């Protein structure tokens, strides 16, 4: 009896606690794979491919076009390198690789994907209600990432970890947005396309941010 209780305490319960994290990682990797599949058609640089069919009015703008392709093609780097930041085994046993993945994440967000996303935000579908949501997302993403990097340089590890949690939660809003759009379509929710886009423009990152704050709070308890 004691042996059984000991096994439950030291083996079964720790495994059960890992299940939510494992499910989260699987969902992120699956979403990243789908993002890659969605990205591949854009390598043709055809202006009538997928999402670009809704952006004919701005496709001729060089800064928008460059921003779009930069944002699309580096998305996988951000998703994967960001996920590696939360691998405790990598942090403990291979800190050098943890730092390299972190530097890659920060540089891509601050120099490429973040600025590109900010430019695109000003031309988002859905009018100014949606554009405001995407602009705030881009600015929040850049700010949390920059602060996470600053705290790492200052060796303020708890602040660094908390800010990276917020930054990566905003990174994952790309997956949340597409998941919400998919659910609206599958469930046949009676909402206009514009209203739906305005909704996901805000909900996709605000929801993620709230989850990040909950994680930070529970982690500190």
């Amino acid at each position: 009896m004691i042996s059984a209780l000991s096994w439950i305490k030291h083996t079964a319960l720790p495994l059960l606690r890992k299940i939510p994290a494992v499910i989260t990682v699987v969902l992120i990797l699956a979403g990243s794979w789908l993002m890659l599949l969605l990205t591949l058609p854009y390598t043709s640089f055809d202006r009538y491919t997928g999402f670009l069919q809704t952006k004919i009015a701005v496709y001729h703008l060089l800064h928008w076009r460059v921003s779009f392709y930069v944002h699309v093609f580096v998305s996988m780097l951000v998703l994967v390198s960001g996920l590696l930041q939360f691998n405790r085994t990598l942090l403990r046993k291979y800190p050098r690789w943890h730092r390299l993945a972190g530097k890659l994440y920060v540089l891509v967000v601050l120099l490429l994907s973040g600025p590109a996303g900010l430019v695109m935000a000003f031309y988002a579908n859905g009018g100014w209600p949606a554009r405001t949501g995407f602009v705030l997302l881009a600015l929040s993403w850049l700010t949390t990432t920059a602060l996470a990097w600053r705290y790492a340089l200052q060796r303020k590890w708890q602040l660094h970890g908390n800010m990276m949690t917020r930054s990566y939660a905003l990174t994952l809003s790309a997956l949340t947005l597409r998941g919400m759009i998919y659910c609206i379509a599958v469930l046949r929710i009676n909402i206009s396309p514009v209203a739906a886009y305005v909704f996901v423009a805000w909900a996709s990152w605000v929801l993620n941010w709230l989850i990040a704050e909950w994680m930070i709070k529970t982690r500190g308890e």
Side-chain angles (χ1 to χ4, degrees):
M1 183 68 177
I2 296 177
S3 178
L5 290 174
S6 178
W7 179 84
I8 292 173
K9 180 179 179 181
H10 297 289
T11 304
L13 289 178
L15 287 174
L16 287 174
R17 293 192 189 101
K18 291 181 180 179
I19 290 177
V22 171
I23 293 175
T24 300
V25 170
V26 169
L27 289 175
I28 291 174
L29 291 176
S32 299
W33 175 252
L34 291 175
M35 286 283 287
L36 176 61
L37 295 180
L38 290 172
T39 298
L40 291 177
Y42 295 109
T43 57
S44 68
F45 294 96
D46 183 351
R47 66 188 301 172
Y48 298 105
T49 301
F51 171 76
L52 290 177
Q53 296 180 65
T54 69
K55 310 302 296 184
I56 298 300
V58 298
Y59 188 84
H60 67 284
L61 299 174
L62 180 61
H63 62 283
W64 184 91
R65 198 161 63 249
V66 170
S67 297
F68 171 79
Y69 286 115
V70 167
H71 193 69
V72 166
F73 292 146
V74 302
S75 61
M76 287 298 297
L77 289 175
V78 177
L79 287 168
V80 175
S81 61
L83 182 60
L84 291 174
Q85 291 299 288
F86 299 93
N87 186 307
R88 293 183 180 179
T89 301
L90 189 70
L91 176 59
R92 288 196 302 264
K93 295 185 177 181
Y94 308 99
R96 181 170 178 269
W97 289 104
H98 172 83
R99 291 193 295 269
L100 287 175
K103 289 177 181 178
L104 176 62
Y105 177 86
V106 169
L107 289 175
V108 171
V109 172
L110 295 185
L111 300 182
L112 296 172
S113 196
L118 182 59
V119 170
M120 291 177 61
F122 287 101
Y123 299 90
N125 298 333
W128 279 108
R131 290 170 190 168
T132 302
F134 285 124
V135 167
L136 290 176
L137 165 59
L139 292 175
S140 299
W141 194 29
L142 288 165
T143 301
T144 54
T145 304
L147 286 174
W149 177 248
R150 179 184 178 186
Y151 290 141
L153 294 177
Q154 295 174 342
R155 298 183 178 275
K156 297 178 179 178
W157 303 123
Q158 184 174 353
L159 292 175
H160 166 68
N162 291 346
M163 205 56 68
M164 268 301 299
T165 299
R166 296 183 178 101
S167 172
Y168 194 59
L170 295 177
T171 297
L172 293 178
S173 65
L175 302 184
T176 307
L177 181 144
R178 285 158 181 81
M180 287 180 171
I181 292 175
Y182 177 78
C183 289
I184 290 173
V186 169
L187 298 175
R188 298 182 180 180
I189 296 176
N190 186 21
I191 184 173
S192 71
V194 173
Y197 204 71
V198 171
F199 170 76
V200 300
W202 287 89
S204 59
W205 66 274
V206 171
L207 174 62
N208 283 19
W209 193 312
L210 291 175
I211 293 173
E213 294 301 330
W214 173 79
M215 291 176 62
I216 292 169
K217 184 177 184 301
T218 55
R219 190 165 58 205
E221 293 177 350

